[in-house]
């Protein structure tokens, strides 16, 4: 068991070190050891939390990075209750309410259970919207990102570009 833990922590450490290559501005060196971190200070000091960024509320949808990406939310969601009793999101986004709200309907996948059967109402596995959908904010990425969109990838790979 001890060996398993040792191997797992080694893997975790190496993956953290790899991450470090991207997050250079947040490398900290303590006791001769350099660690990649998203904390903004030494581990034994209370760090001041970064400012909360302003949520965009401009109704402008962002491009999705890949076909099955949960779209980000182009409006504020302050005070929209989602619990056992109510789901405020569905009061605009459900099939029944879209004529009134002019909100895009949740896609059919949200009405499917895990066996692929269509249900009359939103599936329990899609009930807690904010599990997958996040609001939009104009923030600086915490770490670098070299994600390439599939269209660009195909373009780069096409014989024309050689
Ligand atoms: C008062 C009605 C209303 C409520 C409540 C509401 N929305 Fe929306 N939502 C809209 C409208 C209208 C749009 C279309 C874009 C716009 O006008 O902001 C939208 C857009 C979206 C989109 C973007 C869809 C896409 O195709 O890009 C997502 C995701 C979304 N809402 C999620 C949510 C979630 C999650 C909640 C609950 C926390 C919620 N909405 C609550 C009206 C609503
Ligand atoms: C488990 C993750 C997950 C949860 C929970 C979830 N969604 Fe989604 N949602 C997605 C994904 C992935 C997509 C894009 C692919 C698709 O349509 O299935 C999407 C698409 C959407 C769209 C765009 C539909 C379209 O046709 O363009 C809306 C609007 C939306 N979701 C709203 C909601 C609301 C409201 C809730 C809560 C009732 C919710 N989602 C819960 C993952 C989720």
């Amino acid at each position: 068991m001890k060996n398993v833990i040792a191997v797992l922590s080694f893997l975790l450490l190496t993956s953290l070190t790899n991450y470090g290559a991207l997050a250079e501005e947040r490398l900290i060196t303590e006791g001769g050891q350099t660690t990649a971190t998203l904390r903004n200070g030494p581990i034994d000091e209370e760090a001041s939390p970064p400012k909360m960024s302003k949520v965009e509320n401009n109704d402008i949808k962002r491009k999705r990075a890949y076909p099955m990406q949960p779209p980000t939310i182009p409006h504020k969601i302050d005070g929209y209750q989602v619990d056992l009793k109510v789901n405020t999101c569905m009061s605009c986004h459900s099939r029944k309410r879209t004529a009134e709200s002019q909100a895009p309907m949740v896609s059919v996948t949200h009405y499917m259970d895990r066996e692929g059967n269509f249900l009359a109402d939103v599936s329990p596995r899609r009930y807690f919207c904010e599990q997958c959908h996040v609001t939009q904010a104009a923030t600086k990425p915490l770490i670098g990102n070299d994600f390439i969109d599939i269209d660009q990838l195909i373009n780069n790979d096409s014989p024309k570009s050689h």
Side-chain angles (χ1 to χ4, degrees), residues 91-154:
S91 69
C92 286
H93 286 281
S94 76
R95 184 181 56 82
K96 288 171 280 194
R97 301 301 288 270
T98 51
E100 218 174 301
S101 66
Q102 290 297 300
M105 189 189 109
V106 294
S107 71
V108 289
T109 58
H110 294 49
Y111 288 88
M112 285 159 78
D113 68 11
R114 64 178 170 184
E115 268 83 45
N117 303 313
F118 284 100
L119 312 174
D121 210 340
V122 68
S123 170
R125 61 189 194 137
R126 288 280 193 277
Y127 189 84
F128 293 103
C129 319
E130 291 139 278
Q131 201 183 321
C132 303
H133 297 281
V134 294
T135 48
Q136 298 173 172
T139 51
K140 230 175 91 211
L142 288 174
I143 56 168
N145 184 352
D146 55 7
F147 177 82
I148 296 175
D149 189 87
I150 184 72
D151 289 326
Q152 199 188 332
L153 199 69
I154 293 170

Side-chain angles (χ1 to χ4, degrees), residues 19-32:
Y19 233 174
L22 290 171
E24 245 148 32
E25 69 272 26
R26 286 180 187 266
L27 289 180
I28 56 161
T29 306
E30 257 172 302

Side-chain angles (χ1 to χ4, degrees), residues 58-62 64 71-75 77 80 82 87-89 91-93 101-104 129-130 133:
N58 52 18
D59 302 329
I60 296 174
K61 296 182 193 173
R62 289 201 185 166
R64 298 191 207 178
T72 50
I73 310 172
H75 58 71
I77 57 165
Y80 286 172
V82 177
N87 186 322
T88 313
C89 312
S91 69
C92 286
H93 286 281
S101 66
Q102 290 297 300
C129 319
E130 291 139 278
H133 297 281

